Amino acid sequence: MLAWTAPAEWRGVALYALAAYGAVILSFLGAVHWGLALRAPAAEAAAMAPRLGLGVVPSLVGWVALLLPPLPGLSMLALGILGTAAVETAAARRGLVPPAYLRLRWILSLGAALCLAVGAAAAPA
């Protein structure tokens, strides 16, 4: 909201704060998969490398997004959050992600992506 309502001299700070929050959330979403990999039963050993990859890639996307101007950075974060949820949906079909987590994940992801998109819309072009 501050990106839209704050005085012009504070909007850049508000947009950066939103991007930082989005990057932290994206990193957290990756960390979930490290936890799943570390607690996986032996029957899921084949999923270890993809899980660890999904644990690292969101953090890297978040980091790169913080280096970009607000419009592309916030857009990248929104897409990263939704993209991670999409990958998790595919993993859930293979029984690698708990269904209850996935339901909650989509609700929160849509909300976070919407907030990031609204912030991106307030960013200078």
Side-chain angles (χ1 to χ4, degrees):
M1 292 302 296
L2 286 176
W4 285 93
T5 61
E9 61 271 11
W10 284 95
R11 289 189 183 153
V13 172
L15 289 169
Y16 183 76
L18 178 61
Y21 181 74
V24 168
I25 293 299
L26 197 52
S27 290
F28 171 79
L29 296 175
V32 167
H33 294 281
W34 276 81
L36 290 172
L38 294 173
R39 303 262 316 168
E44 297 178 3
M48 180 67 78
R51 277 182 164 154
L52 294 177
L54 187 56
V56 173
V57 170
S59 296
L60 295 174
V61 170
W63 174 63
V64 169
L66 287 176
L67 300 174
L68 297 174
L71 179 59
L74 291 168
S75 300
M76 178 183 276
L77 289 166
L79 291 173
I81 287 172
L82 294 175
T84 303
V87 171
E88 290 173 340
T89 299
R93 290 187 189 117
R94 295 178 52 207
L96 299 171
V97 174
Y101 166 78
L102 192 60
R103 284 189 295 276
L104 177 61
R105 173 75 165 82
W106 270 107
I107 292 167
L108 296 174
S109 294
L110 291 171
L114 178 63
C115 289
L116 291 163
V118 167

